[in-house]
Amino acid sequence: MDCLFCKIFQGHIPSKKVYEDDNVFAFHDISPMAKTHILFIHKKHTANVNGLSTIHVGQVFTAIKTYVATTDLEKSGFRIVTNTGPDVGQTVFHAHFHLLGGEKLKGFGA
Ligand code: AMP
Ligand code: ZN
């Protein structure tokens, strides 16, 4: 399948991995929008979150929680964003969750 994020978690395209388990893979965003900007993906290929089951979403959020607990983000706070569809800025069509933090972020609409 010609999918950038499938190729990344399969190791065909290099990434800066920060977390992996049987279902979930996480790596640094190549173009960070905050001091900390990590992408969490489920290994099941689906274009966006509409294709993920509640179990899949739970596995991703459990992974985020596990990762965050190993960082300062647990104390300082973080934001999770998932763009669904080109109108809201989705550019890679393998469902992913942006984990943003490490600095003071502007509020939504700012
Ligand atoms: P979105 O715009 O919500 O679909 O998010 C896609 C994200 O993937 C963007 O923040 C990009 O900077 C990021 N991205 C694109 N190519 C790569 C890559 N090769 N490695 C890491 N992140 C990437
Ligand atoms: Zn994929």
Side-chain angles (χ1 to χ4, degrees), residues 9-86:
F9 88 72
Q10 289 162 356
H12 302 313
I13 290 178
S15 69
K16 289 188 187 168
K17 178 172 90 170
V18 298
Y19 176 90
E20 183 172 16
D21 63 32
D22 287 348
N23 303 297
V24 179
F25 190 90
F27 53 103
H28 284 276
D29 195 293
I30 204 166
S31 181
M33 297 185 68
K35 197 170 171 196
T36 301
H37 187 171
I38 308 289
L39 298 173
F40 279 78
I41 61 171
H42 200 284
K43 291 179 179 177
K44 175 189 156 61
H45 175 87
T46 177
N48 59 50
V49 285
N50 293 329
L52 292 178
S53 69
T54 51
I55 289 174
H56 294 139
V57 173
Q59 288 167 333
V60 174
F61 274 73
T62 299
I64 293 174
K65 198 174 168 187
T66 301
Y67 171 71
V68 159
T70 69
T71 72
D72 292 339
L73 295 174
E74 194 171 56
K75 271 191 179 171
S76 60
F78 55 89
R79 178 178 293 166
I80 298 167
V81 174
T82 183
N83 294 318
T84 303

Side-chain angles (χ1 to χ4, degrees), residues 3 6 45 94:
C3 170
C6 281
H45 175 87
H94 178 127

